[in-house]
Amino acid sequence: MKKWIPIKLIVPILLILVLYIVAIIIEQKELAIDLNQKNTAPSLTHLFGTDWLGRDMLIRTWQGLSVSLTIGIVTAFCSTIIALLMAVVAGANKKFDRIVRWMIDLFLSLPHLVTLLLITFTLGGGVKGLMIGLIVTHWTSLARVLRVEVFQLNNSEFIQASRQFGKNYIWIVWHHFLPHLYPQIIIGAILIFPHAILHEAAVTFLGFGLSTDQPAIGIILSESMSYLSAGYWWLAFFPGLFLLSITLTFQYMGKQVHRVMERNDRYDSGVNN
Amino acid sequence: MQILSFLLKKLTYLVILLFVVALITFLLVSLSPIDPIRAYIGADMLQVSPEQKEQIEIYWGLKESKPEQFISWITSLLKADFGTSLIYRAPVSEVIADKFFASLLLMGIAWILSLVGGIVLGSIAGMRQNGLLDRIIQLYSYVLVSTPGFWFGLLLLMIFAVGLGIFPIGLASPIGMLEGNVSFLDRLYHVILPALTLSILGTANIALHTREKLIEILKSPFILQAKAQGLKGFSLYKRHAFRHTILPAISLHFASFGELFGGAILAEQVFSYPGLGQAVVDAGLGGDVPLLLGIVIISAGFVFVGNFLADVLYKIIDPRFRKGLMKL
Amino acid sequence: MLWKGTIGMTQGLIIKNLSLYHKYEKMTLVNNVSLSIAPSEIVAVVGASGSGKSLLAHSILHLLPEEIEQNCEMLWNGETVNQHNIPQLRGKKIALIPQTIDALDPFLKVGKYLLTLMKGKNKQHRLHKIWSSLGLDIDWLAYFPFELSGGMARRVLIASALVQNPNLILADEPTPGVDADTLSGVLAPFNQMKQEGKSVLFITHDFFAALKVADRIAVMDNGEIIEVSPVSFFAGDGEKLKHTYTKALWQALPQNCFVNNWR
Ligand SMILES: Nc1ncnc2c1ncn2[C@@H]1O[C@H](COP(=O)(O)OP(=O)(O)OP(=O)(O)O)[C@@H](O)[C@H]1O
Ligand SMILES: [Mg+2]
């Protein structure tokens, strides 16, 4: 059967890819410090203006993006794996299910940002602390969705039949659960992305995450706070806008994938009938 | 009887939850590379003699084994004694109580405004499904959901405080004035901008949720019947859809106390508003473990209260539950 | 007799060539249905489950979901009925007794619900009159829908159609599971309406109830009206009936079983 992938999905994916590749390329580039060009407002030479050292804000922002995207990818990947594992474990038996539910409840019992701060704090901050914090706090909502799906699959007739044929749980997970769950997994992973990126920026902004010598949008924004009263609005405005467009693109991508999956699903069931 | 057992169940859950949260938090902090003495003494570290250092360790109970430390911490928690804050040099409970009021004012205003705004927007969108207004409201909500909250706060700060000069740039009370002398109006004046930030951001989620619920409700048989009776537009909404829509919206809003708290942390940072959010950041950055632990526990309680209210709300508004409860 | 009054009829409701088409499933649900209901007339619609009876009732009020495309010509008292003027007719001129008792708002006490539907003076008094005529207890006005039994809820729905004093009631299965004795009690308001020069479209599975109350009977099958006959045609062996399906329906009635004991 032919799967259907619309242009509306290809465009955001390409956009992110191009942004990311360019970001990786320019990341290594040492930014020229030009004290004659200190704190200049946006112009044609410096689209996003310059900062207190005369560095170009567009390049700085773009460099920050590469860190954000990398962190987003790793977080989305690892959190999705955790979520899947949790759901599969919960599906094994009632006792495990209770434990998984408790774990989810536990993680939801603290404000997400507080959990993040606590974990990055105890791990001593930095990329490592931030990353671990992000990974262990972003799996809950997807795990909840997958848990319910696994529960329903477990109760379905064909799984029951599989059981009766003596297939073990791992076999069933591999051959039945994964093929059924993969749309949810993909959508879930995509939607973890914007959350993770926003949280990364927030934690860094608060001073817990990435260190000040790293290019990061959170750093740029917290730096900009000192210059707000001087009226240097571009220091905050453009980097944030850039970040917003990235998260929006991911939200949009998630929505489109959802539609494609739904549509292919309908198409599939149409064929089967 | 039913109410009692319900409350008892919730209370047990809370106690277990707080205990587990305390345990995990304690474990995390114990494993961390942060040296509490260094954090306490700060820059004077070099001037402290080993004897003094030891005295401090004994004073803070750092000589005891980890389980002993945990037990003594937990028992003092039960006595509502959270220890002494290193950076504020005051009992944690006092610091929290003081900051909590400021945060509560901020979060309370934001909570109510975003609820009302979200319900209004979501209802308009839902009643005009696929119309122009609906599209605008949806776009608005999706953009806001993806917006970095602190950046949005910075924008408002730039526009209203720096650009237009209508609001103060920071601090819940004017500089040079003692906390106690701050008039309520002054407080209100300083809380408006951060509260506005949180409210506007908060409407998005509620609006989307309300819209979804409303569309679902508009498909139910009693709405079809109301239409068959000749109702339409606002009177249809008011009579048959309103209650059904606000119930899940309010419930969701209670259940998102955690996000509200997180938003407040960022907003307080941006607007230099001295509440619990700023305290937790200072505690983290300053290595003030007792204060950090205290705020973690308090925020867990805060989230629990939200979830509890969300749960109870259904039971109060839905006549099926209400009647059941009254008959007891 | 068959199309009593249709030609040149100015009062009542006329439906011409009603077709319903499901846009997504690309399927015709109701095909070319024509029917008229004159003042002082009760027309019963009978047919198997899924034959399109409820769709017919909903399409008269233009209440079908967006995915179903409706094509027809409809006249009410000589005037064309369309999407724009139907809201003024709904409830006040043409009321619906819905098939499901979920149609009661679970958050509203039934008495309050009925009162808000009414206009003019003496609401309370008028409501009580209708209420007791349906054999309902005054105390039940303070009940929430979930506190009512199925039969009580159904009578509340009948009351909700009656309170606005409409000229035509579309009753979608108002009598399921009602035994023969109580049937006449529930049917009384319809006969009363007929006395007052009003009309009823009586949708039912219950062929027996249809024969008892209706002037004409329309038989639906698979989205089409295959026959409209006056009740007098339903007699004896059913030799006056056109369609074999109708005949089979008639002969399957318990009291006719001895005539034709193929069972
Ligand atoms: N919204 C809808 N979407 C798709 N199909 C529909 C829809 N509503 C009704 N149908 C289909 O139209 C047909 C007629 O439905 P309808 O509800 O009119 O039956 P009915 O004669 O009232 O049956 P019953 O006696 O069981 O109430 C059914 O096959 C049903 O599946
Ligand atoms: Mg029906």
Side-chain angles (χ1 to χ4, degrees):
Chain A
M1 68 206 132
K2 210 171 118 211
K3 295 282 179 187
W4 176 82
I5 299 183
I7 188 96
K8 278 183 174 173
L9 182 53
I10 297 171
V11 170
I13 292 178
L14 277 181
L15 189 73
I16 295 285
L17 266 181
V18 169
L19 278 177
Y20 191 36
I21 291 169
V22 173
I24 290 173
I25 293 169
I26 63 172
E27 197 192 355
Q28 308 305 329
K29 202 177 133 203
E30 195 61 41
L31 256 180
I33 295 178
D34 180 358
L35 293 176
N36 295 326
Q37 289 281 321
K38 261 187 343 189
N39 294 324
T40 55
S43 63
L44 279 178
T45 35
H46 300 288
L47 281 178
F48 285 15
T50 60
D51 68 357
W52 52 290
L53 289 173
R55 291 176 293 186
D56 182 74
M57 285 306 289
L58 174 61
I59 308 242
R60 268 195 88 192
T61 306
W62 211 318
Q63 288 180 338
L65 208 67
S66 110
V67 181
S68 288
L69 282 172
T70 311
I71 289 182
I73 289 170
V74 176
T75 306
F77 183 78
C78 297
S79 290
T80 305
I81 300 280
I82 297 180
L84 181 62
L85 280 180
M86 286 286 176
V88 167
V89 166
N93 66 43
K94 281 223 162 64
K95 206 162 147 195
F96 287 165
D97 187 49
R98 274 180 72 107
I99 296 174
V100 167
R101 258 170 36 212
W102 240 98
M103 294 272 289
I104 295 177
D105 279 356
L106 188 67
F107 270 93
L108 295 178
S109 71
L110 278 180
H112 194 151
L113 195 57
V114 171
T115 320
L116 258 172
L117 293 187
L118 185 68
I119 293 174
T120 39
F121 163 76
T122 54
L123 295 174
V127 179
K128 189 191 77 179
L130 181 60
M131 203 83 115
I132 295 177
L134 289 172
I135 290 169
V136 299
T137 55
H138 278 92
W139 56 272
T140 42
S141 45
L142 179 58
R144 272 214 287 209
V145 174
L146 294 181
R147 191 189 78 88
V148 175
E149 295 269 317
V150 166
F151 183 80
Q152 281 166 359
L153 282 174
N154 256 334
N155 287 337
S156 67
E157 267 172 38
F158 72 101
I159 298 285
Q160 303 275 8
S162 251
R163 285 248 159 92
Q164 272 161 17
F165 281 122
K167 301 289 187 195
N168 71 14
Y169 187 59
I170 306 290
W171 191 92
I172 293 174
V173 167
W174 188 254
H175 287 90
H176 291 315
F177 287 3
L178 289 185
H180 270 90
L181 294 179
Y182 92 92
Q184 301 281 9
I185 294 175
I186 291 177
I187 294 170
I190 293 177
L191 290 182
I192 288 176
F193 232 98
H195 272 258
I197 291 179
L198 286 182
H199 275 130
E200 178 268 317
V203 171
T204 305
F205 174 76
L206 292 175
F208 284 76
L210 303 174
S211 58
T212 40
D213 52 355
Q214 261 159 326
I217 293 183
I219 298 286
I220 294 175
L221 288 176
S222 86
E223 253 179 39
S224 80
M225 293 235 342
S226 330
Y227 298 92
L228 284 187
S229 41
Y232 302 158
W233 55 273
W234 59 90
L235 293 179
F237 181 72
F238 289 115
L241 197 65
F242 213 127
L243 188 61
L244 169 60
S245 13
I246 298 293
T247 49
L248 258 182
T249 310
F250 274 106
Q251 294 276 11
Y252 183 75
M253 210 196 293
K255 219 174 155 178
Q256 293 305 327
V257 172
H258 188 86
R259 282 175 64 179
V260 173
M261 298 278 180
E262 231 175 27
R263 200 164 161 150
N264 284 340
D265 219 36
R266 224 185 280 154
Y267 185 75
D268 284 355
S269 56
V271 170
N272 292 343
N273 289 343
Chain B
M1 217 54 223
Q2 213 177 320
I3 302 177
L4 228 92
S5 75
F6 172 76
L7 289 180
L8 209 66
K9 224 170 91 185
K10 288 279 169 190
L11 200 67
T12 325
Y13 177 80
L14 176 64
V15 170
I16 297 175
L17 179 78
L18 287 184
F19 180 78
V20 176
V21 168
L23 180 65
I24 291 177
T25 316
F26 184 83
L27 280 178
L28 274 174
V29 173
S30 314
L31 295 173
S32 81
I34 278 93
D35 177 3
I37 298 177
R38 180 180 215 102
Y40 179 59
I41 300 162
D44 305 335
M45 194 71 180
L46 290 175
Q47 294 161 21
V48 179
S49 68
E51 294 82 53
Q52 280 176 310
K53 199 177 161 202
E54 180 148 339
Q55 270 191 334
I56 294 169
E57 279 182 351
I58 292 170
Y59 178 74
W60 290 110
L62 294 171
K63 282 279 160 147
E64 301 163 35
S65 70
K66 288 289 173 194
E68 274 169 353
Q69 280 183 30
F70 180 67
I71 289 170
S72 67
W73 181 57
I74 279 283
T75 39
S76 41
L77 272 191
L78 288 177
K79 288 178 254 165
D81 174 12
F82 287 78
T84 309
S85 159
L86 303 178
I87 44 177
Y88 291 92
R89 313 271 152 134
V92 167
S93 44
E94 272 176 32
V95 177
I96 290 182
D98 185 41
K99 306 275 175 191
F100 201 57
F101 174 74
S103 287
L104 220 51
L105 184 70
L106 168 62
M107 294 193 287
I109 295 174
W111 193 84
I112 290 172
L113 288 184
S114 52
L115 179 66
V116 174
I119 288 178
V120 171
L121 288 182
S123 301
I124 293 174
M127 292 300 285
R128 298 256 176 283
Q129 198 193 345
N130 298 331
L132 183 67
L133 263 178
D134 179 29
R135 275 159 212 269
I136 294 173
I137 291 172
Q138 276 198 73
L139 183 70
Y140 163 88
S141 305
Y142 277 117
V143 169
L144 275 186
V145 165
S146 311
T147 302
F150 58 100
W151 175 69
F152 188 67
L154 284 175
L155 288 189
L156 290 192
L157 191 69
M158 287 194 292
I159 296 171
F160 291 104
V162 179
L164 301 175
I166 335 180
F167 288 106
I169 296 192
L171 304 176
S173 49
I175 304 166
M177 211 188 256
L178 285 177
E179 220 18 39
N181 296 340
V182 186
S183 74
F184 185 71
L185 273 179
D186 249 334
R187 270 191 188 280
L188 216 54
Y189 180 53
H190 283 80
V191 86
I192 289 178
L193 217 42
L196 205 62
T197 309
L198 289 183
S199 315
I200 294 176
L201 290 168
T203 50
N205 230 342
I206 295 294
L208 288 175
H209 186 76
T210 304
R211 174 183 181 274
E212 205 113 299
K213 273 284 157 193
L214 182 54
I215 287 171
E216 189 186 311
I217 283 159
L218 289 179
K219 285 182 189 145
S220 52
F222 61 85
I223 293 291
L224 190 75
Q225 181 59 12
K227 285 184 189 162
Q229 302 280 13
L231 285 176
K232 59 179 201 258
F234 185 66
S235 49
L236 175 77
Y237 172 79
K238 196 183 75 187
R239 254 190 241 169
H240 295 291
F242 177 64
R243 282 206 244 186
H244 295 267
T245 351
I246 60 162
L247 189 59
I250 299 178
S251 183
L252 173 84
H253 209 35
F254 272 126
S256 28
F257 268 20
E259 272 153 55
L260 182 65
F261 197 91
I265 294 177
L266 290 162
E268 288 178 12
Q269 198 67 18
V270 169
F271 295 95
S272 320
Y273 184 87
L276 221 47
Q278 207 177 46
V280 75
V281 173
D282 289 344
L285 294 177
D288 187 346
V289 175
L291 182 59
L292 186 65
L293 294 185
I295 296 178
V296 167
I297 301 285
I298 291 296
S299 68
F302 183 66
V303 171
F304 171 83
V305 169
N307 287 330
F308 175 75
L309 290 176
D311 219 17
V312 166
L313 185 75
Y314 268 101
K315 299 187 168 38
I316 296 175
I317 294 195
D318 193 321
R320 277 159 286 200
F321 283 107
R322 202 171 55 214
K323 286 254 169 160
L325 291 177
M326 275 192 321
K327 279 189 194 128
L328 301 170
Chain C
M1 190 66 191
L2 187 66
W3 285 95
K4 167 182 165 185
T6 300
I7 299 151
M9 177 177 113
T10 51
Q11 297 298 298
L13 179 78
I14 301 171
I15 306 161
K16 281 184 206 151
N17 305 331
L18 169 71
S19 291
L20 301 179
Y21 178 75
H22 199 288
K23 285 188 220 163
Y24 305 145
E25 287 172 23
K26 309 221 180 305
M27 189 165 76
T28 302
L29 296 172
V30 164
N31 189 22
N32 220 8
V33 160
S34 299
L35 191 67
S36 68
I37 306 155
S40 281
E41 190 185 30
I42 299 181
V43 177
V45 177
V46 297
S49 192
S51 53
K53 306 183 296 293
S54 296
L55 286 177
L56 171 65
H58 288 164
S59 63
I60 293 173
L61 289 170
H62 292 67
L63 278 175
L64 292 168
E66 168 270 329
E67 68 264 22
I68 296 179
E69 194 180 293
Q70 174 174 353
N71 281 310
C72 73
E73 196 181 325
M74 208 177 279
L75 294 173
W76 171 249
N77 292 347
E79 280 180 43
T80 309
V81 177
N82 55 33
Q83 200 63 47
H84 303 291
N85 58 16
I86 190 70
Q88 283 87 53
L89 299 178
R90 285 180 194 151
K92 289 154 213 100
K93 300 290 177 207
I94 308 176
L96 173 72
I97 300 173
Q99 186 173 11
T100 137
I101 57 173
D102 296 343
L104 291 169
D105 186 336
F107 283 5
L108 278 182
K109 289 182 178 170
V110 291
K112 191 178 170 207
Y113 167 60
L114 294 177
L115 278 177
T116 55
L117 288 173
M118 300 172 77
K119 297 223 164 49
K121 280 178 259 170
N122 266 334
K123 286 189 205 176
Q124 204 85 31
H125 178 71
R126 271 153 49 211
L127 175 60
H128 283 189
K129 228 173 112 184
I130 293 171
W131 193 254
S132 22
S133 78
L134 286 163
L136 291 160
D137 197 309
I138 292 296
D139 290 345
W140 299 345
L141 280 168
Y143 279 17
F144 284 102
F146 75 95
E147 295 173 287
L148 301 171
S149 76
M152 278 148 72
R154 211 160 279 290
R155 279 178 281 166
V156 172
L157 286 174
I158 297 177
S160 80
L162 292 172
V163 286
Q164 297 206 64
N165 202 14
N167 293 7
L168 167 63
I169 283 189
L170 313 170
D172 196 352
E173 308 235 14
T175 62
V178 172
D179 53 87
D181 290 343
T182 31
L183 187 63
S184 33
V186 177
L187 295 180
F190 301 134
N191 284 320
Q192 174 70 31
M193 286 188 64
K194 187 176 159 180
Q195 304 297 318
E196 292 168 10
K198 296 165 181 167
S199 23
V200 178
L201 184 75
F202 186 76
I203 294 172
T204 186
H205 273 156
D206 186 350
F207 202 33
F208 182 71
L211 289 170
K212 200 163 162 176
V213 73
D215 301 306
R216 284 186 297 142
I217 295 183
V219 181
M220 272 196 95
D221 184 31
N222 206 6
E224 296 188 27
I225 289 191
I226 52 172
E227 172 153 13
V228 184
S229 296
V231 270
S232 55
F233 283 19
F234 293 83
D237 206 5
E239 57 276 342
K240 284 194 181 160
L241 298 170
K242 253 191 344 195
H243 210 280
T244 46
Y245 181 79
T246 320
K247 280 189 184 135
L249 265 181
W250 164 245
Q251 286 159 358
L253 275 182
Q255 72 265 37
N256 299 336
C257 267
F258 67 94
V259 180
N260 192 336
N261 46 12
W262 45 266
R263 232 203 308 198

